[in-house]
Amino acid sequence: MTTSFFASVLALWLCWLSIQVIKARRRHQIGYGDGEGKAKDLQLACSAQSNAVNYIPIALILLFLLEENGGANWLIVLAGLVFTSGRVIHGRGILADSLKGRVLGMQLTLWPIIALAVLNLLYLILG
């Protein structure tokens, strides 16, 4: 199942982002929250992690549904690759405080989600 591959890769990415939060918390000795402006790297790490948590589930659900609806495997792989690339570029962009990386990452995140939603609707309507 193609979705299983992307779910696994994205789960590992989310764990890596979580480790960045943990490392920043330890470095600044902040047990919870984002440091209220005292630790910019912790704020960035929290933002990267929470942003990933916001977008990964819906993309995986749509990817799985397209796979279950009989979508072409190349479409599923393409959407998964573009989305995963977008998540990595965006997360790294946030951690580096790079607007360019964040913008490109969000473009590569949102376009596959839109495409997956439209494709699922088409498969349901025409299918």
Side-chain angles (χ1 to χ4, degrees), residues 1-125:
M1 189 183 289
T2 306
T3 303
S4 297
F5 171 78
F6 289 108
S8 298
V9 170
L10 289 164
L12 291 172
W13 175 244
L14 188 54
C15 287
W16 187 85
L17 290 172
S18 297
I19 290 167
Q20 303 316 301
V21 174
I22 293 166
K23 287 173 22 180
R25 286 188 193 289
R26 285 185 180 163
R27 185 169 36 258
H28 297 289
Q29 298 181 346
I30 296 171
Y32 58 91
D34 66 3
E36 299 177 1
K38 298 175 188 170
K40 185 173 183 180
D41 62 330
L42 176 56
Q43 287 179 316
L44 293 172
C46 287
S47 178
Q49 179 195 36
S50 66
N51 192 278
V53 169
N54 289 332
Y55 287 97
I56 289 172
I58 190 62
L60 288 176
I61 290 168
L62 290 167
L63 206 61
F64 174 78
L65 291 172
L66 185 59
E67 193 166 8
E68 286 297 305
N69 287 330
N73 195 55
W74 71 269
L75 280 173
I76 296 162
V77 170
L78 180 63
L81 286 173
V82 173
F83 177 80
T84 301
S85 299
R87 290 290 74 215
V88 170
I89 292 168
H90 186 264
R92 302 286 296 193
I94 288 178
L95 292 173
D97 203 9
S98 164
L99 181 60
K100 184 178 178 181
R102 290 173 52 208
V103 169
L104 177 60
M106 282 311 299
Q107 290 171 341
L108 295 175
T109 293
L110 291 176
W111 284 115
I113 290 174
I114 292 166
L116 287 165
V118 169
L119 286 167
N120 273 297
L121 288 169
L122 289 174
Y123 272 92
L124 286 172
I125 293 167

